[in-house]
Amino acid sequence: MASGRGSRSGADADADRGEPDDRLLLERLRAGDERAFDELVRTAGGRMLALARRMLPREEDARDCVQEAFLHAFRSLDRFDGRSRLTTWLHRIAVNACLMRLRSQRRRPEQSLDALLPRFRGDGHQERDTTPWKPPQESGIEREEVRDLVRARIRELPEQYRVVLLLRDIEGLDTDETAAMLGTTAAAIKTRLHRARQALRSLLEPHFTEGSL
Amino acid sequence: MDYVDGALSAEQRSEFDRHLKACPSCVAYLDSYRRTVALGKDAASDPASSAVPEELVEAIRRARRQ
């Protein structure tokens, strides 16, 4: 089953080892140590903000969600059970804060992904042959430009597909956890992820095929 | 996607592999699909995005004290 790999298993392994830094920091937080709160914001906040910026189009919303996540965490310290890293727990809270913000802002029907998905003939082959992508070293694009390009294309994906791509491929959540967060089934998540990847591939293709740039 | 994620049975994988040997277009699609996934992960690994603006640190500090 293609789930539960990568960062999630790493986080759980860390918890099993009982990271001393986490235990000590948690003690200080629960004791109300002001410097401990600042320390946590500075060490964990960057990654949370990066996540929020990927999920939310507006910088103001991203910062608000990070703030909400920290405040929620500070109020819930006594409920943190230590089964994951403190930063992992915070990250999950941030994901939920961003999802709630997206739900509250949802006004328009989701745009269709159909134009970005491959079409298949009756024999299972694609209607249009795929042009091989140039090897990375021949693409002529610097690495940072590529990252900017990919981030911009991810932002173009319809929200329900963008969110699944971000949670599964980038945040490393497994299928079941993603499904629970989004209130849907594992099967739906797998389908959405595949379509999101196909759509992103279509958006990136013009930049990586022969004759581009 | 199941092929990429290693979720096919041995028999299914074998059948898929046989198809790939005869279909350059599918090989190209599979390669570009894998690269897309890798590009997405790499785009999120930018260390420059890891700094917390000082005004956000201060806003969180103020809000916590309220």
Side-chain angles (χ1 to χ4, degrees), chain A residues 2-110:
Chain A
S3 63
R5 294 179 295 187
S7 60
R8 181 176 164 80
S9 60
D12 290 345
D14 286 345
D16 288 344
R17 289 199 297 273
E19 287 290 321
D21 287 348
D22 257 19
R23 284 200 304 269
L24 184 58
L25 181 59
L26 192 58
E27 280 174 21
R28 291 168 58 208
L29 289 166
R30 285 173 172 161
D33 182 340
E34 288 292 331
R35 282 178 299 183
F37 289 109
D38 269 10
E39 187 180 316
L40 187 62
V41 170
R42 291 184 195 283
T43 55
R47 189 169 162 236
M48 289 162 69
L49 184 58
L51 155 77
R53 283 170 170 159
R54 287 191 287 269
M55 291 186 72
L56 300 163
R58 298 192 321 155
E59 175 71 7
E60 182 184 336
D61 288 331
R63 292 190 184 199
D64 282 352
C65 282
V66 170
Q67 181 170 322
E68 284 170 24
F70 272 114
L71 294 178
H72 176 86
F74 293 156
R75 289 192 298 266
S76 310
L77 286 170
D78 56 342
R79 293 201 292 274
F80 173 64
D81 59 16
R83 282 189 294 173
S84 67
R85 289 294 306 271
L86 195 54
T87 49
T88 304
W89 179 66
L90 271 168
H91 208 68
R92 298 289 186 266
I93 295 173
V95 168
N96 276 315
C98 292
L99 289 174
M100 285 175 59
R101 181 67 61 110
L102 283 170
R103 282 183 202 123
S104 72
Q105 291 177 341
R106 198 171 292 154
R107 293 185 189 94
R108 298 176 293 179
E110 273 280 78

Side-chain angles (χ1 to χ4, degrees), chain A residues 133-149:
Chain A
W133 285 18
K134 288 182 279 191
Q137 59 273 24
E138 292 178 23
S139 70
I141 321 174
E142 297 295 327
R143 190 174 180 186
E144 197 47 47
E145 283 179 74
V146 171
R147 285 197 180 118
D148 287 343
L149 172 71

Side-chain angles (χ1 to χ4, degrees), chain A residues 2 34 37-38 42 45-46 63 74 125-126 129-130 133-134 143 147 151 169-170 190 194 197-198 201, chain B residues 1-2 5 19 25 29 32-33 35-37 41-44 49-50 52-55 59 61 64:
Chain A
E34 288 292 331
F37 289 109
D38 269 10
R42 291 184 195 283
R63 292 190 184 199
F74 293 156
H125 285 84
Q126 293 183 58
D129 282 347
T130 299
W133 285 18
K134 288 182 279 191
R143 190 174 180 186
R147 285 197 180 118
R151 283 191 284 252
D169 279 354
I170 295 174
K190 288 182 74 174
H194 183 45
R197 288 169 169 176
Q198 286 179 313
R201 196 208 73 84
Chain B
M1 188 170 95
D2 284 342
D5 291 343
H19 174 78
S25 180
Y29 189 88
S32 62
Y33 185 95
R35 280 181 62 186
T36 297
V37 175
K41 291 178 180 176
D42 187 62
S49 66
S50 63
V52 188
E54 197 57 35
E55 56 266 29
R61 193 185 288 140
R64 196 183 66 76

